[in-house]
Amino acid sequence: MAVKGAAAGTGMLLVTANVGSLFDDPENLQKNWLREFYQIVRTHKPHFLALHCQEFGGKNYEASMSHVDKFVKELLSSDAMKDYNRARVYLDENYKSQEHFTALGSFYFLHESLKNIYQFDFKAKKYKKVTGKEIYSDTLESTPMLEKEKFPQDYFPECKWSRKGFIRTRWCITDCAFDLVNIHLFHDASNLIAWETSPSVYSGIRQKALGYVLDRIRDQRFEKVSYFVFGDFNFRLDSKSVVETLCAKATVQTIRAADTNEVVKLIFRESDNDRKVMLQLEKKLFDYFNQDVFRDNNGTALLEFDKELSVFKDKLYELDISFPPSYPYSEDCSQGKQYMNTRCPAWCDRILMSHSAKELILKSENDEKIVMYDHIGPNVCMGDHKPVFLSFRIAAGAGKPIANVHKCCVVQ
């Protein structure tokens, strides 16, 4: 597979994918997923490919171990990846440790034309040349080439077996040093609780966790470099605002549990039109009568309710979103575009970057589109999350002011 030359900069492809569904139904979903993923690789022909996976191994990791091994071997040996002669794979397989297990998997592939690429050793505090293919699993805490943390239990106490956290690696390409952070933040446990306040209590929990990660990767222990943070942020639309907009003229029926008087269901009906049901809301039900609102024009009319990133605007940048909400898609293989009615569709899966990282991205000097931010498999069932990718190029020497590695990499 040919890649474009040095004059065009170093081709980068960053992908985030919550792959939990793939291990719950590996026979049907993995084939589709891999085919679409390989097509993106063939289309963009990156020199450096980073794939950040969340929920790797699915809900029952121990039962999925054989499927995990098969998936990893397929990625490393497939024909589509044959020109990537170096790779690093970091899999958190320590599923018996409630204190440490994150179910994160980070894959990095280096094209044979990419020369002298270095990875940072956080223990030795120096860069090491990357050669060969290596897989690290089990206890990643002892691996010096990364930093990994699971968020403290008190961040989300109602979820006793949370697997949320982050993995950080650091790389140097073309005199340019940068961090790549795989992240998985907390979900909305209840649609009803999320609807109660604006912003929701869950939004506050995610804000706290993301703030913790950004403080860690920007602290004084290591030289500051640009960073890309990509994963399943579980960002949700502001539920109260969305419901008030979608059901602006509706009347609300509240259903309570007979024994506890707790609200268990809300039914929103049109005031006229035979009181047609517009929306039914339960803890794990968000059943809106017209899913087209989430798909029309890629759902961009709803972006005004996507507010969780705004508090980090001084630390994080994101390209404009022009793809539909990435979650929760149907896991029925015949329903590639259909959302499940469990949650309000949202852009959970994102690729964010520091403002200095934004400056590394090579700008086009003509009409050629060299930066693309999109989702993978728009018409195919990829599980409950659609993977999201960012394709761009780094100009030679773009990061020299912040990197202390001389003549780090040359693409030939």
Side-chain angles (χ1 to χ4, degrees), residues 13-15 34-46 49 372 374-378 389 391:
L13 181 63
L14 311 182
V15 180
L34 287 166
R35 183 185 67 246
E36 297 295 317
F37 173 74
Y38 292 149
Q39 184 56 49
I40 290 294
V41 175
R42 291 188 183 102
T43 298
H44 294 275
K45 303 179 177 63
L49 166 59
M372 184 175 292
D374 206 346
H375 65 326
I376 300 176
F389 74 91
S391 176

PDB file of all heavy atoms in Angstrom, residues 13-15 34-46 49 372 374-378 389 391:
ATOM      1  N   LEU A  13      -3.807   8.956  11.249  1.00  0.00           N
ATOM      2  CA  LEU A  13      -5.195   8.511  11.349  1.00  0.00           C
ATOM      3  C   LEU A  13      -5.458   8.112  12.795  1.00  0.00           C
ATOM      4  O   LEU A  13      -4.854   7.163  13.306  1.00  0.00           O
ATOM      5  CB  LEU A  13      -5.465   7.329  10.418  1.00  0.00           C
ATOM      6  CG  LEU A  13      -6.904   6.788  10.409  1.00  0.00           C
ATOM      7  CD1 LEU A  13      -7.886   7.842   9.918  1.00  0.00           C
ATOM      8  CD2 LEU A  13      -7.009   5.525   9.543  1.00  0.00           C
ATOM      9  N   LEU A  14      -6.322   8.864  13.463  1.00  0.00           N
ATOM     10  CA  LEU A  14      -6.717   8.570  14.838  1.00  0.00           C
ATOM     11  C   LEU A  14      -8.140   8.037  14.822  1.00  0.00           C
ATOM     12  O   LEU A  14      -9.027   8.637  14.202  1.00  0.00           O
ATOM     13  CB  LEU A  14      -6.651   9.830  15.703  1.00  0.00           C
ATOM     14  CG  LEU A  14      -5.367  10.678  15.636  1.00  0.00           C
ATOM     15  CD1 LEU A  14      -5.463  11.863  16.598  1.00  0.00           C
ATOM     16  CD2 LEU A  14      -4.132   9.839  15.917  1.00  0.00           C
ATOM     17  N   VAL A  15      -8.365   6.917  15.500  1.00  0.00           N
ATOM     18  CA  VAL A  15      -9.688   6.282  15.517  1.00  0.00           C
ATOM     19  C   VAL A  15     -10.063   5.960  16.957  1.00  0.00           C
ATOM     20  O   VAL A  15      -9.230   5.449  17.722  1.00  0.00           O
ATOM     21  CB  VAL A  15      -9.695   4.979  14.685  1.00  0.00           C
ATOM     22  CG1 VAL A  15     -11.087   4.331  14.712  1.00  0.00           C
ATOM     23  CG2 VAL A  15      -9.241   5.222  13.256  1.00  0.00           C
ATOM     24  N   LEU A  34     -14.470  -4.899  11.058  1.00  0.00           N
ATOM     25  CA  LEU A  34     -13.115  -4.948  10.497  1.00  0.00           C
ATOM     26  C   LEU A  34     -13.106  -4.528   9.033  1.00  0.00           C
ATOM     27  O   LEU A  34     -12.200  -3.816   8.586  1.00  0.00           O
ATOM     28  CB  LEU A  34     -12.535  -6.355  10.655  1.00  0.00           C
ATOM     29  CG  LEU A  34     -12.126  -6.718  12.091  1.00  0.00           C
ATOM     30  CD1 LEU A  34     -11.897  -8.221  12.217  1.00  0.00           C
ATOM     31  CD2 LEU A  34     -10.873  -5.955  12.516  1.00  0.00           C
ATOM     32  N   ARG A  35     -14.106  -4.944   8.274  1.00  0.00           N
ATOM     33  CA  ARG A  35     -14.160  -4.568   6.866  1.00  0.00           C
ATOM     34  C   ARG A  35     -14.241  -3.045   6.715  1.00  0.00           C
ATOM     35  O   ARG A  35     -13.520  -2.453   5.896  1.00  0.00           O
ATOM     36  CB  ARG A  35     -15.382  -5.212   6.196  1.00  0.00           C
ATOM     37  CG  ARG A  35     -15.465  -4.926   4.682  1.00  0.00           C
ATOM     38  CD  ARG A  35     -16.731  -5.475   4.068  1.00  0.00           C
ATOM     39  NE  ARG A  35     -17.920  -4.781   4.540  1.00  0.00           N
ATOM     40  CZ  ARG A  35     -18.865  -5.357   5.292  1.00  0.00           C
ATOM     41  NH1 ARG A  35     -18.785  -6.632   5.635  1.00  0.00           N
ATOM     42  NH2 ARG A  35     -19.920  -4.658   5.686  1.00  0.00           N
ATOM     43  N   GLU A  36     -15.080  -2.400   7.491  1.00  0.00           N
ATOM     44  CA  GLU A  36     -15.217  -0.946   7.417  1.00  0.00           C
ATOM     45  C   GLU A  36     -13.963  -0.234   7.925  1.00  0.00           C
ATOM     46  O   GLU A  36     -13.550   0.792   7.373  1.00  0.00           O
ATOM     47  CB  GLU A  36     -16.445  -0.490   8.225  1.00  0.00           C
ATOM     48  CG  GLU A  36     -17.771  -1.013   7.703  1.00  0.00           C
ATOM     49  CD  GLU A  36     -18.107  -0.475   6.323  1.00  0.00           C
ATOM     50  OE1 GLU A  36     -17.916   0.734   6.084  1.00  0.00           O
ATOM     51  OE2 GLU A  36     -18.558  -1.269   5.472  1.00  0.00           O
ATOM     52  N   PHE A  37     -13.358  -0.777   8.960  1.00  0.00           N
ATOM     53  CA  PHE A  37     -12.129  -0.190   9.502  1.00  0.00           C
ATOM     54  C   PHE A  37     -10.999  -0.263   8.471  1.00  0.00           C
ATOM     55  O   PHE A  37     -10.297   0.723   8.218  1.00  0.00           O
ATOM     56  CB  PHE A  37     -11.727  -0.921  10.783  1.00  0.00           C
ATOM     57  CG  PHE A  37     -10.388  -0.502  11.334  1.00  0.00           C
ATOM     58  CD1 PHE A  37     -10.227   0.729  11.967  1.00  0.00           C
ATOM     59  CD2 PHE A  37      -9.282  -1.334  11.210  1.00  0.00           C
ATOM     60  CE1 PHE A  37      -8.991   1.116  12.471  1.00  0.00           C
ATOM     61  CE2 PHE A  37      -8.048  -0.956  11.712  1.00  0.00           C
ATOM     62  CZ  PHE A  37      -7.899   0.273  12.342  1.00  0.00           C
ATOM     63  N   TYR A  38     -10.832  -1.427   7.861  1.00  0.00           N
ATOM     64  CA  TYR A  38      -9.772  -1.579   6.856  1.00  0.00           C
ATOM     65  C   TYR A  38     -10.003  -0.645   5.666  1.00  0.00           C
ATOM     66  O   TYR A  38      -9.046  -0.135   5.065  1.00  0.00           O
ATOM     67  CB  TYR A  38      -9.707  -3.024   6.365  1.00  0.00           C
ATOM     68  CG  TYR A  38      -9.231  -4.017   7.405  1.00  0.00           C
ATOM     69  CD1 TYR A  38      -9.686  -5.336   7.399  1.00  0.00           C
ATOM     70  CD2 TYR A  38      -8.323  -3.651   8.398  1.00  0.00           C
ATOM     71  CE1 TYR A  38      -9.265  -6.256   8.342  1.00  0.00           C
ATOM     72  CE2 TYR A  38      -7.894  -4.566   9.344  1.00  0.00           C
ATOM     73  CZ  TYR A  38      -8.369  -5.871   9.312  1.00  0.00           C
ATOM     74  OH  TYR A  38      -7.945  -6.785  10.246  1.00  0.00           O
ATOM     75  N   GLN A  39     -11.263  -0.421   5.314  1.00  0.00           N
ATOM     76  CA  GLN A  39     -11.564   0.465   4.192  1.00  0.00           C
ATOM     77  C   GLN A  39     -11.106   1.889   4.502  1.00  0.00           C
ATOM     78  O   GLN A  39     -10.576   2.588   3.618  1.00  0.00           O
ATOM     79  CB  GLN A  39     -13.071   0.450   3.895  1.00  0.00           C
ATOM     80  CG  GLN A  39     -13.472   1.275   2.671  1.00  0.00           C
ATOM     81  CD  GLN A  39     -12.735   0.849   1.410  1.00  0.00           C
ATOM     82  OE1 GLN A  39     -12.677  -0.342   1.086  1.00  0.00           O
ATOM     83  NE2 GLN A  39     -12.143   1.796   0.698  1.00  0.00           N
ATOM     84  N   ILE A  40     -11.281   2.322   5.720  1.00  0.00           N
ATOM     85  CA  ILE A  40     -10.807   3.656   6.122  1.00  0.00           C
ATOM     86  C   ILE A  40      -9.283   3.727   6.038  1.00  0.00           C
ATOM     87  O   ILE A  40      -8.708   4.733   5.589  1.00  0.00           O
ATOM     88  CB  ILE A  40     -11.295   3.991   7.547  1.00  0.00           C
ATOM     89  CG1 ILE A  40     -12.804   4.224   7.543  1.00  0.00           C
ATOM     90  CG2 ILE A  40     -10.575   5.215   8.111  1.00  0.00           C
ATOM     91  CD1 ILE A  40     -13.255   5.452   6.775  1.00  0.00           C
ATOM     92  N   VAL A  41      -8.616   2.666   6.466  1.00  0.00           N
ATOM     93  CA  VAL A  41      -7.147   2.629   6.387  1.00  0.00           C
ATOM     94  C   VAL A  41      -6.692   2.699   4.932  1.00  0.00           C
ATOM     95  O   VAL A  41      -5.778   3.464   4.579  1.00  0.00           O
ATOM     96  CB  VAL A  41      -6.598   1.352   7.067  1.00  0.00           C
ATOM     97  CG1 VAL A  41      -5.078   1.261   6.881  1.00  0.00           C
ATOM     98  CG2 VAL A  41      -6.940   1.354   8.552  1.00  0.00           C
ATOM     99  N   ARG A  42      -7.343   1.939   4.070  1.00  0.00           N
ATOM    100  CA  ARG A  42      -6.965   1.946   2.646  1.00  0.00           C
ATOM    101  C   ARG A  42      -7.241   3.310   2.009  1.00  0.00           C
ATOM    102  O   ARG A  42      -6.492   3.759   1.143  1.00  0.00           O
ATOM    103  CB  ARG A  42      -7.737   0.859   1.899  1.00  0.00           C
ATOM    104  CG  ARG A  42      -7.339  -0.568   2.252  1.00  0.00           C
ATOM    105  CD  ARG A  42      -8.021  -1.564   1.324  1.00  0.00           C
ATOM    106  NE  ARG A  42      -7.705  -2.942   1.676  1.00  0.00           N
ATOM    107  CZ  ARG A  42      -8.534  -3.741   2.351  1.00  0.00           C
ATOM    108  NH1 ARG A  42      -9.732  -3.289   2.733  1.00  0.00           N
ATOM    109  NH2 ARG A  42      -8.195  -4.976   2.652  1.00  0.00           N
ATOM    110  N   THR A  43      -8.314   3.942   2.407  1.00  0.00           N
ATOM    111  CA  THR A  43      -8.677   5.235   1.827  1.00  0.00           C
ATOM    112  C   THR A  43      -7.693   6.327   2.224  1.00  0.00           C
ATOM    113  O   THR A  43      -7.267   7.129   1.388  1.00  0.00           O
ATOM    114  CB  THR A  43     -10.103   5.636   2.261  1.00  0.00           C
ATOM    115  OG1 THR A  43     -11.031   4.663   1.781  1.00  0.00           O
ATOM    116  CG2 THR A  43     -10.471   7.012   1.703  1.00  0.00           C
ATOM    117  N   HIS A  44      -7.306   6.359   3.485  1.00  0.00           N
ATOM    118  CA  HIS A  44      -6.491   7.469   3.990  1.00  0.00           C
ATOM    119  C   HIS A  44      -4.996   7.180   4.002  1.00  0.00           C
ATOM    120  O   HIS A  44      -4.196   8.113   4.085  1.00  0.00           O
ATOM    121  CB  HIS A  44      -6.981   7.868   5.380  1.00  0.00           C
ATOM    122  CG  HIS A  44      -8.369   8.446   5.363  1.00  0.00           C
ATOM    123  ND1 HIS A  44      -8.626   9.770   5.102  1.00  0.00           N
ATOM    124  CD2 HIS A  44      -9.582   7.860   5.523  1.00  0.00           C
ATOM    125  CE1 HIS A  44      -9.921   9.988   5.126  1.00  0.00           C
ATOM    126  NE2 HIS A  44     -10.532   8.837   5.368  1.00  0.00           N
ATOM    127  N   LYS A  45      -4.638   5.889   3.947  1.00  0.00           N
ATOM    128  CA  LYS A  45      -3.226   5.494   3.824  1.00  0.00           C
ATOM    129  C   LYS A  45      -2.311   6.251   4.804  1.00  0.00           C
ATOM    130  O   LYS A  45      -1.356   6.916   4.414  1.00  0.00           O
ATOM    131  CB  LYS A  45      -2.736   5.726   2.389  1.00  0.00           C
ATOM    132  CG  LYS A  45      -3.542   4.989   1.324  1.00  0.00           C
ATOM    133  CD  LYS A  45      -3.014   5.293  -0.070  1.00  0.00           C
ATOM    134  CE  LYS A  45      -3.738   4.515  -1.147  1.00  0.00           C
ATOM    135  NZ  LYS A  45      -5.183   4.862  -1.218  1.00  0.00           N
ATOM    136  N   PRO A  46      -2.569   6.141   6.091  1.00  0.00           N
ATOM    137  CA  PRO A  46      -1.758   6.887   7.055  1.00  0.00           C
ATOM    138  C   PRO A  46      -0.363   6.287   7.235  1.00  0.00           C
ATOM    139  O   PRO A  46      -0.150   5.092   7.019  1.00  0.00           O
ATOM    140  CB  PRO A  46      -2.564   6.756   8.344  1.00  0.00           C
ATOM    141  CG  PRO A  46      -3.246   5.426   8.217  1.00  0.00           C
ATOM    142  CD  PRO A  46      -3.607   5.328   6.751  1.00  0.00           C
ATOM    143  N   LEU A  49      -1.021   5.156  12.562  1.00  0.00           N
ATOM    144  CA  LEU A  49      -2.417   4.835  12.839  1.00  0.00           C
ATOM    145  C   LEU A  49      -2.569   4.532  14.322  1.00  0.00           C
ATOM    146  O   LEU A  49      -1.866   3.670  14.866  1.00  0.00           O
ATOM    147  CB  LEU A  49      -2.854   3.629  12.006  1.00  0.00           C
ATOM    148  CG  LEU A  49      -4.161   2.908  12.373  1.00  0.00           C
ATOM    149  CD1 LEU A  49      -5.347   3.855  12.312  1.00  0.00           C
ATOM    150  CD2 LEU A  49      -4.380   1.708  11.468  1.00  0.00           C
ATOM    151  N   MET A 372     -10.025  15.323   7.782  1.00  0.00           N
ATOM    152  CA  MET A 372     -11.380  14.775   7.775  1.00  0.00           C
ATOM    153  C   MET A 372     -11.725  14.240   9.160  1.00  0.00           C
ATOM    154  O   MET A 372     -10.957  13.476   9.744  1.00  0.00           O
ATOM    155  CB  MET A 372     -11.511  13.663   6.734  1.00  0.00           C
ATOM    156  CG  MET A 372     -12.935  13.120   6.605  1.00  0.00           C
ATOM    157  SD  MET A 372     -13.119  11.909   5.265  1.00  0.00           S
ATOM    158  CE  MET A 372     -12.868  12.968   3.838  1.00  0.00           C
ATOM    159  N   ASP A 374     -14.894  12.305  10.914  1.00  0.00           N
ATOM    160  CA  ASP A 374     -16.130  11.640  10.488  1.00  0.00           C
ATOM    161  C   ASP A 374     -16.307  10.337  11.268  1.00  0.00           C
ATOM    162  O   ASP A 374     -15.454   9.957  12.079  1.00  0.00           O
ATOM    163  CB  ASP A 374     -16.075  11.379   8.984  1.00  0.00           C
ATOM    164  CG  ASP A 374     -17.460  11.306   8.339  1.00  0.00           C
ATOM    165  OD1 ASP A 374     -18.460  11.187   9.073  1.00  0.00           O
ATOM    166  OD2 ASP A 374     -17.539  11.352   7.094  1.00  0.00           O
ATOM    167  N   HIS A 375     -17.389   9.643  10.982  1.00  0.00           N
ATOM    168  CA  HIS A 375     -17.627   8.341  11.606  1.00  0.00           C
ATOM    169  C   HIS A 375     -17.405   7.235  10.577  1.00  0.00           C
ATOM    170  O   HIS A 375     -17.320   7.486   9.371  1.00  0.00           O
ATOM    171  CB  HIS A 375     -19.022   8.263  12.223  1.00  0.00           C
ATOM    172  CG  HIS A 375     -20.154   8.347  11.249  1.00  0.00           C
ATOM    173  ND1 HIS A 375     -20.119   9.106  10.098  1.00  0.00           N
ATOM    174  CD2 HIS A 375     -21.386   7.761  11.260  1.00  0.00           C
ATOM    175  CE1 HIS A 375     -21.262   8.987   9.453  1.00  0.00           C
ATOM    176  NE2 HIS A 375     -22.047   8.174  10.133  1.00  0.00           N
ATOM    177  N   ILE A 376     -17.302   6.009  11.065  1.00  0.00           N
ATOM    178  CA  ILE A 376     -17.005   4.848  10.223  1.00  0.00           C
ATOM    179  C   ILE A 376     -18.240   3.954  10.149  1.00  0.00           C
ATOM    180  O   ILE A 376     -18.921   3.734  11.156  1.00  0.00           O
ATOM    181  CB  ILE A 376     -15.809   4.045  10.787  1.00  0.00           C
ATOM    182  CG1 ILE A 376     -14.554   4.919  10.851  1.00  0.00           C
ATOM    183  CG2 ILE A 376     -15.538   2.798   9.946  1.00  0.00           C
ATOM    184  CD1 ILE A 376     -13.355   4.231  11.489  1.00  0.00           C
ATOM    185  N   GLY A 377     -18.514   3.444   8.950  1.00  0.00           N
ATOM    186  CA  GLY A 377     -19.635   2.511   8.768  1.00  0.00           C
ATOM    187  C   GLY A 377     -20.988   3.144   8.886  1.00  0.00           C
ATOM    188  O   GLY A 377     -21.862   2.629   9.605  1.00  0.00           O
ATOM    189  N   PRO A 378     -21.258   4.246   8.175  1.00  0.00           N
ATOM    190  CA  PRO A 378     -22.538   4.944   8.326  1.00  0.00           C
ATOM    191  C   PRO A 378     -23.754   4.096   7.990  1.00  0.00           C
ATOM    192  O   PRO A 378     -24.826   4.310   8.560  1.00  0.00           O
ATOM    193  CB  PRO A 378     -22.406   6.138   7.363  1.00  0.00           C
ATOM    194  CG  PRO A 378     -21.325   5.761   6.397  1.00  0.00           C
ATOM    195  CD  PRO A 378     -20.381   4.905   7.175  1.00  0.00           C
ATOM    196  N   PHE A 389     -13.273   8.881  13.414  1.00  0.00           N
ATOM    197  CA  PHE A 389     -11.871   9.022  13.033  1.00  0.00           C
ATOM    198  C   PHE A 389     -11.524  10.458  12.681  1.00  0.00           C
ATOM    199  O   PHE A 389     -12.384  11.260  12.303  1.00  0.00           O
ATOM    200  CB  PHE A 389     -11.529   8.100  11.848  1.00  0.00           C
ATOM    201  CG  PHE A 389     -12.061   8.561  10.518  1.00  0.00           C
ATOM    202  CD1 PHE A 389     -11.304   9.373   9.684  1.00  0.00           C
ATOM    203  CD2 PHE A 389     -13.328   8.179  10.090  1.00  0.00           C
ATOM    204  CE1 PHE A 389     -11.789   9.801   8.453  1.00  0.00           C
ATOM    205  CE2 PHE A 389     -13.827   8.594   8.858  1.00  0.00           C
ATOM    206  CZ  PHE A 389     -13.048   9.415   8.045  1.00  0.00           C
ATOM    207  N   SER A 391      -8.513  12.172  10.278  1.00  0.00           N
ATOM    208  CA  SER A 391      -7.399  11.984   9.349  1.00  0.00           C
ATOM    209  C   SER A 391      -6.790  13.350   9.046  1.00  0.00           C
ATOM    210  O   SER A 391      -7.501  14.293   8.707  1.00  0.00           O
ATOM    211  CB  SER A 391      -7.895  11.324   8.054  1.00  0.00           C
ATOM    212  OG  SER A 391      -6.849  11.226   7.100  1.00  0.00           O
TER     213      SER A 391
END
